[in-house]
Amino acid sequence: MLNGDNLRAFLHDFRHYHSHWPLIHARTFDPLTANTGLVLAMCCLGAVYSDRLGPDDVRWLMGIVRPAVLRSSECYKLFKQSQQVSDVTSRLPVGIEDLQAVTLLHSLFLWHGSQIQRQQIREDFGILANITRRAGMLRPLPREHPNSSTLHQPGPITGEEVNTWNWTTWIENEKRTRLMAYVFLIDAASTIFFNTQPQFDVHEIRVPLPADDAAWDARNAEDCARALGLRGQAAQGENISGSRRAKQLGMAEALQVLYEAGHNRFPERATNVFGKFSGFNRHSCTELKLTNYPVLIHAIHIQIYNIQRQLLRRGSASGTSTPPYGTITPPSGVTEQVQQLLRSTFNALELWKAIWDADLAIQYAQNQRRHGFCRDGVHYYFLAQVFLRNSRPQEWAAPADLRCRQIFHLLKQIRGHVTSSAQTGLDLGSVNAVADDYAVANLALNMRQLFKPIDEQGPAPPSHSPYARPRYQNTFSGQS
């Protein structure tokens, strides 16, 4: 099954998954020198898209590969050793490819596994979260670290970055950033789709959001520097769909901006995004990029989950819907702190949507396709609306597989809403291509129906005015 021909074919087909979640730096990746566990994980993911194996065969392969990868994983070995001596706080020296392998397999088990495999991987996520935290992935490398990247450190651009920037160092730090965002998204998705307790508080994640695709996909150091803006704004012509920022906002910082924008309070280093959150003009809207909006909408979902759990514990929603904020009084017995968090979450959600609409018109102005889940977010906006307005207490305590079916059924309704209400010519994104029966008809999942192959993510939309702001009807009335 894993002969030379199949390995080459599976690695080639990994590109379909990579189009959704670009964690691997394709320009510098060499399977002959890469971590063996990472190569095997990529082969398993590629096998999902191959005609050489059926879904059941891939699940069998997963069951063989993951234990082998964990046995050879240095990060797992170190974690187990530290557990045996009750050392649960010391820093773990973890190789990035080692952690990439474990994380990719976790995603594969979650979205392609059998019912038993999914349960196993959900139970094991706490280990992955612990390793990630103890490996120092929640923060940038210290400035004094020899492999530290100036463009991944907090703080404003000073101009010195042009002289100190190094492509190899930048790539290694961007790998860390993207992997941390991916681990967070797995955590948040597990909460949304399976009712699992989140392992991360977004406010503790201090790494920046991922850099622009044009910089990540650059063929060489000079192209990357141009995409980042290190050669001046005039040299950024190839960076069409990005923020064109050399530095991205931190994840916690960006969420803070969303939550506090209504009060005109901004983090000190976010003053250059003020215009974006107030005026939405063409230049100020490029401070974030669409690839980062799914991270932020998932962070809002975590806030909603925490709010709903607090409401459940207080017994304030006894079988009735959570009230739509901004329309009626909150349930009695809810503390002012919870009420304020609910209001600010509702406001942050609406602000997220306004910025999404504005940036979509700018960053994808030339009828450009948005391949990949990492570039989709509007469906999760409508899902968050449902959670805030129409959710019922029993749904937040539903068993994992039942909750998964409920959410994918909701997303099916939302896809119909997005399709019917979208502006003519607006690309609907990859979430709209998810098979209607994924996770609904069969408890043994086929990830190919979720993260579609590149050529099945839908045709390009017809031409439209390049700067017409895209519009979806902002209210979805579906029931969860």
Side-chain angles (χ1 to χ4, degrees), residues 175-192:
K175 286 180 184 178
R176 289 171 49 88
T177 290
R178 287 174 176 252
L179 181 57
M180 186 62 242
Y182 186 61
V183 172
F184 171 75
L185 285 172
I186 291 176
D187 186 31
S190 298
T191 298
I192 294 169

Side-chain angles (χ1 to χ4, degrees), residues 443-470:
L443 287 177
L445 305 182
N446 183 354
M447 192 178 70
R448 181 173 179 152
Q449 296 180 335
L450 176 64
F451 305 135
K452 287 293 188 73
I454 294 172
D455 54 356
E456 295 180 19
Q457 293 182 38
S463 299
H464 62 286
S465 173
Y467 296 111
R469 181 174 297 183

Side-chain angles (χ1 to χ4, degrees), residues 110-347:
L110 198 63
W111 303 119
H112 192 80
S114 65
Q115 190 174 11
I116 294 175
Q117 287 175 323
R118 285 198 306 280
Q119 180 179 349
Q120 174 193 355
I121 211 69
R122 290 195 304 269
E123 293 172 353
D124 286 353
F125 184 73
I127 298 176
L128 176 59
N130 194 312
I131 292 173
T132 302
R133 182 175 281 106
R134 292 178 57 190
M137 298 293 292
L138 277 66
R139 294 179 178 274
L141 291 174
R143 293 181 185 274
E144 62 273 13
H145 194 284
N147 294 323
S148 175
S149 164
T150 57
L151 294 185
H152 290 85
Q153 295 292 332
I157 294 290
T158 64
E160 290 297 318
E161 293 83 2
V162 176
N163 299 322
T164 60
W165 182 79
N166 175 277
W167 191 39
T168 301
T169 301
W170 182 88
I171 290 170
E172 293 306 310
N173 282 265
E174 185 63 18
K175 286 180 184 178
R176 289 171 49 88
T177 290
R178 287 174 176 252
L179 181 57
M180 186 62 242
Y182 186 61
V183 172
F184 171 75
L185 285 172
I186 291 176
D187 186 31
S190 298
T191 298
I192 294 169
F193 288 92
F194 300 105
N195 268 344
T196 60
Q197 183 72 29
Q199 297 291 315
F200 294 103
D201 178 352
V202 68
H203 296 98
E204 68 176 334
I205 302 176
R206 297 295 175 178
V207 293
L209 291 162
D212 291 350
D213 292 334
W216 181 243
D217 296 333
R219 292 182 294 270
N220 51 53
E222 183 59 25
D223 286 352
C224 183
R226 288 172 177 269
L228 290 170
L230 299 181
R231 302 295 183 260
Q233 186 176 359
Q236 287 186 290
E238 295 297 320
N239 189 355
I240 299 172
S241 59
S243 68
R244 298 190 173 186
R245 286 171 57 103
K247 282 188 177 184
Q248 298 294 326
L249 286 173
M251 191 182 302
E253 184 182 11
L255 188 66
Q256 183 181 2
V257 170
L258 280 176
Y259 269 77
E260 296 186 351
H263 304 285
N264 293 319
R265 296 196 305 270
F266 291 85
E268 181 180 352
R269 294 186 302 277
T271 52
N272 61 343
V273 303
F274 182 83
K276 173 181 178 182
F277 288 100
S278 57
F280 303 121
N281 61 67
R282 179 182 176 190
H283 298 290
S284 62
C285 280
T286 58
E287 301 298 341
L288 284 174
K289 63 190 182 75
L290 292 183
T291 313
N292 290 329
Y293 285 107
V295 177
L296 297 179
I297 194 66
H298 278 71
I300 293 175
H301 269 279
I302 294 297
Q303 298 288 72
I304 294 172
Y305 175 87
N306 290 332
I307 291 169
Q308 294 287 3
R309 284 289 174 171
Q310 290 185 60
L311 294 177
L312 280 177
R313 284 196 297 267
R314 295 175 186 279
S316 58
S318 55
T320 60
S321 299
T322 302
Y325 241 91
T327 58
I328 62 176
T329 305
S332 59
V334 178
T335 66
E336 177 59 32
Q337 182 180 8
V338 175
Q339 292 182 31
Q340 180 56 43
L341 181 57
L342 196 50
R343 290 191 190 95
S344 59
T345 298
F346 185 87
N347 292 335

Side-chain angles (χ1 to χ4, degrees), residues 74-145:
E74 288 299 322
C75 66
Y76 253 67
K77 288 179 184 177
L78 291 170
F79 176 78
K80 292 297 185 182
Q81 291 171 4
S82 67
Q83 292 291 98
Q84 291 172 1
V85 296
S86 300
D87 178 10
V88 296
T89 58
S90 64
R91 179 78 174 263
L92 293 178
V94 174
I96 192 69
E97 289 189 346
D98 191 1
L99 195 51
Q100 283 176 328
V102 174
T103 305
L104 286 172
L105 285 172
H106 189 100
S107 176
L108 179 60
F109 270 66
L110 198 63
W111 303 119
H112 192 80
S114 65
Q115 190 174 11
I116 294 175
Q117 287 175 323
R118 285 198 306 280
Q119 180 179 349
Q120 174 193 355
I121 211 69
R122 290 195 304 269
E123 293 172 353
D124 286 353
F125 184 73
I127 298 176
L128 176 59
N130 194 312
I131 292 173
T132 302
R133 182 175 281 106
R134 292 178 57 190
M137 298 293 292
L138 277 66
R139 294 179 178 274
L141 291 174
R143 293 181 185 274
E144 62 273 13
H145 194 284

Side-chain angles (χ1 to χ4, degrees), residues 403-415:
R403 185 58 168 168
C404 185
R405 281 180 166 174
Q406 290 173 348
I407 299 304
F408 275 105
H409 178 70
L410 261 177
L411 282 176
K412 178 181 177 180
Q413 298 179 51
I414 290 170
R415 288 196 298 273

